[in-house]
Amino acid sequence: MSGGELDASDPRTLPGFFDALADGDLLGGVCADCGQVLLPPRPACYACGSRAVGVEPQSREGTVFSCTAVHTPPPAFAADAPYTVAAVELADGGRLLGRVTADYDDVAIGDPVELTVRELTAEEREVALDYEADWPVHVFEPR
């Protein structure tokens, strides 16, 4: 899959990426020209600008690349604060941002984690944008 017209079912769009994730498939874009892994996939490579981006399954396992604690979240998530968010480098080379199900003090750069996927809770569904209401939530679990 590369170039051409895109519609919302294409995994190189956010709706297509999250539809695949809801079906249990973590898909990444892979640039045919430079090898960059794009998560979520995009129709053009952000490393070299090529539009020769294919889509390939990605590992759900990775390591924490960077992390932070969110102490002042949007009002809808105030009850969750503080919570941990991390950029995770997956085993196949892409990086994906997501919440980690551990306290910030228990997470360190290089820690192994695994991506899990779940449906939105009723509270999350209330604050989701209309187009996000059917998208799953991805979180990283420490391994």
Side-chain angles (χ1 to χ4, degrees):
M1 197 182 304
S2 65
E5 295 295 318
L6 299 177
D7 63 26
S9 67
D10 190 301
R12 292 171 294 163
T13 67
L14 283 177
F17 171 76
F18 282 108
D19 284 348
L21 199 58
D23 290 339
D25 299 319
L26 176 61
L27 300 177
V30 179
C31 179
D33 291 333
C34 74
Q36 179 71 47
V37 178
L38 312 165
L39 283 169
R42 294 161 179 79
C45 179
Y46 51 66
C48 73
S50 172
R51 295 194 56 84
V53 176
V55 176
E56 297 178 10
Q58 300 296 303
S59 172
R60 291 172 176 258
E61 296 182 355
T63 57
V64 174
F65 178 79
S66 176
C67 61
T68 191
V70 177
H71 292 276
T72 309
F77 301 106
D80 295 345
Y83 56 86
T84 307
V85 174
V88 172
E89 185 159 339
L90 297 172
D92 293 322
R95 292 186 187 150
L96 185 62
L97 187 67
R99 283 177 71 163
V100 179
T101 60
D103 290 336
Y104 176 75
D105 291 337
D106 297 330
V107 178
I109 292 172
D111 282 356
V113 292
E114 185 169 355
L115 182 78
T116 60
V117 179
R118 64 170 173 77
E119 290 187 23
L120 273 72
T121 64
E123 295 81 19
E124 291 167 335
R125 196 172 302 281
E126 285 181 26
V127 298
L129 299 173
D130 287 344
Y131 63 87
E132 297 174 327
D134 293 326
W135 293 0
V137 174
H138 64 278
V139 296
F140 291 99
E141 303 279 345
R143 290 189 292 139

